[in-house]
């Protein structure tokens, strides 16, 4: 998933580079391309590291008895599987969402709801995904970055399947607005996306 989001930011950068007054964007684009090449070249290394993390999390899951602990581990597994296997990510997103509704705080409910909505939309089930998304007015500050990333991706994906030029342009414009909001919310959105669910405290207690 991170590679998909990385490529999306590259596409945004490319679009900006074509606009008047954005000549310096070309240099930034070349830097992004270089980073992308490095990431692709090290793909197997990243896959191996991610699989090791998954194995560790599954080991902790076997000993987790409290619902709140299992919810955190399900969310962590969703994050780790997101860059490897969308079907597995979907399963753990659903489990985390179900437990969050039972025992989680409002922040857990919003985060897992956005995660599950992302899985639905990634599978092309936009109606189901949007029904799970909290409204902008409801979103807590702690999950605002998650919300912006999800909305930016949703609108970008929808624009690719839109054949009506006016509607396509409108969705791309909205996606660009969310992209700008991501940059304003955090200076390193890719890192924040990778670490959306923090479980260091839970892991240290195991």
């Amino acid at each position: 998933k991170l590679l998909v989001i990385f490529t999306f930011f590259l596409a945004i950068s490319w679009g900006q580079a074509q606009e008047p007054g954005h000549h310096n964007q070309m240099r930034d684009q070349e830097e992004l391309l270089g980073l992308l090449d490095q990431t692709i070249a090290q793909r197997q290394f990243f896959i191996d590291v991610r699989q090791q993390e998954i194995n560790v999390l599954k080991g902790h899951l076997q000993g987790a008895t409290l619902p709140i602990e299992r919810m955190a581990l399900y969310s962590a597994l969703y994050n780790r599987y997101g860059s490897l296997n969308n079907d597995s990510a979907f399963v753990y997103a659903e489990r985390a969402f179900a437990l969050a509704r039972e025992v989680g705080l409002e922040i857990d409910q919003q985060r897992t709801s956005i995660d599950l909505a992302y899985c639905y939309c990634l599978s092309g089930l936009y109606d189901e995904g949007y029904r799970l998304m909290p409204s902008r007015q409801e979103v807590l500050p702690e999950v605002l970055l998650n919300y912006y990333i999800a909305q930016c991706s949703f609108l970008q994906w929808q624009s690719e399947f839109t054949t009506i030029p006016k509607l396509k342009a409108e969705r791309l414009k909205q996606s660009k607005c969310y992209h700008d909001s991501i940059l304003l919310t955090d200076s390193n959105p890719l890192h924040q996306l990778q670490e959306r669910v923090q479980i260091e405290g839970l892991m240290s207690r195991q």
Side-chain angles (χ1 to χ4, degrees):
K1 186 190 302 178
L2 288 176
L3 185 59
V4 173
I5 298 296
F6 192 101
T7 306
F8 171 70
F9 277 100
L10 180 62
I12 292 290
S13 175
W14 173 263
Q16 291 175 338
Q18 311 310 307
E19 299 174 3
H22 286 87
H23 300 297
N24 290 336
Q25 292 284 345
M26 293 300 295
R27 182 183 60 192
D28 295 336
Q29 180 195 5
E30 290 300 320
E31 293 178 0
L32 282 172
L33 284 170
L35 289 173
L36 182 58
D37 288 341
Q38 293 177 26
T39 302
I40 293 173
Q42 300 179 56
R43 176 178 175 80
Q44 189 57 51
F45 169 77
F46 290 128
I47 290 176
D48 293 341
V49 170
R50 189 64 83 194
Q51 190 60 58
Q52 291 175 9
E53 293 175 345
I54 288 171
N55 293 339
V56 170
L57 289 169
K58 285 184 175 180
H60 286 293
L61 187 59
Q62 292 179 356
T65 56
L66 296 178
I68 195 72
E69 292 178 328
R70 298 186 69 82
M71 179 198 67
L73 287 165
Y74 286 151
S75 290
L77 283 164
Y78 155 76
N79 269 330
R80 272 56 180 187
Y81 268 117
S83 57
L84 296 179
N85 187 314
N86 189 55
D87 290 338
S88 296
F90 211 137
V91 169
Y92 286 110
E94 286 183 317
R95 293 179 181 178
F97 175 69
L99 280 177
R101 294 185 67 182
E102 293 180 17
V103 300
L105 301 173
E106 179 64 23
I107 185 174
D108 298 318
Q109 295 178 21
Q110 288 195 7
R111 181 182 289 114
T112 57
S113 180
I114 292 172
D115 288 344
L116 186 55
Y118 190 97
C119 287
Y120 273 115
C121 290
L122 188 60
S123 302
L125 302 173
Y126 297 108
D127 289 341
E128 291 83 348
Y130 271 112
R131 280 197 290 267
L132 287 168
M133 288 290 289
S135 68
R136 173 61 185 84
Q137 292 73 24
E138 298 172 333
V139 176
L140 296 173
E142 295 85 349
V143 297
L144 193 57
L145 183 62
N146 305 59
Y147 176 82
Y148 287 151
I149 290 173
Q151 290 285 22
C152 182
S153 300
F154 297 167
L155 289 163
Q156 173 70 15
W157 295 335
Q158 284 186 314
S159 70
E160 294 174 1
F161 297 99
T162 301
T163 58
I164 301 174
K166 184 177 180 179
L167 183 56
K168 186 181 187 72
E170 180 62 27
R171 285 177 173 169
L172 285 172
K173 181 180 178 180
Q174 291 174 336
S175 179
K176 175 63 168 55
C177 288
Y178 280 115
H179 167 264
D180 293 343
S181 296
I182 291 170
L183 299 180
L184 291 172
T185 304
D186 191 280
S187 61
N188 191 354
L190 295 181
H191 174 74
Q192 290 295 324
L193 175 65
Q194 186 179 19
E195 297 300 329
R196 271 191 284 180
V197 178
Q198 298 295 326
I199 63 165
E200 283 78 5
L202 170 65
M203 300 292 282
S204 66
R205 295 198 300 270
Q206 296 290 323

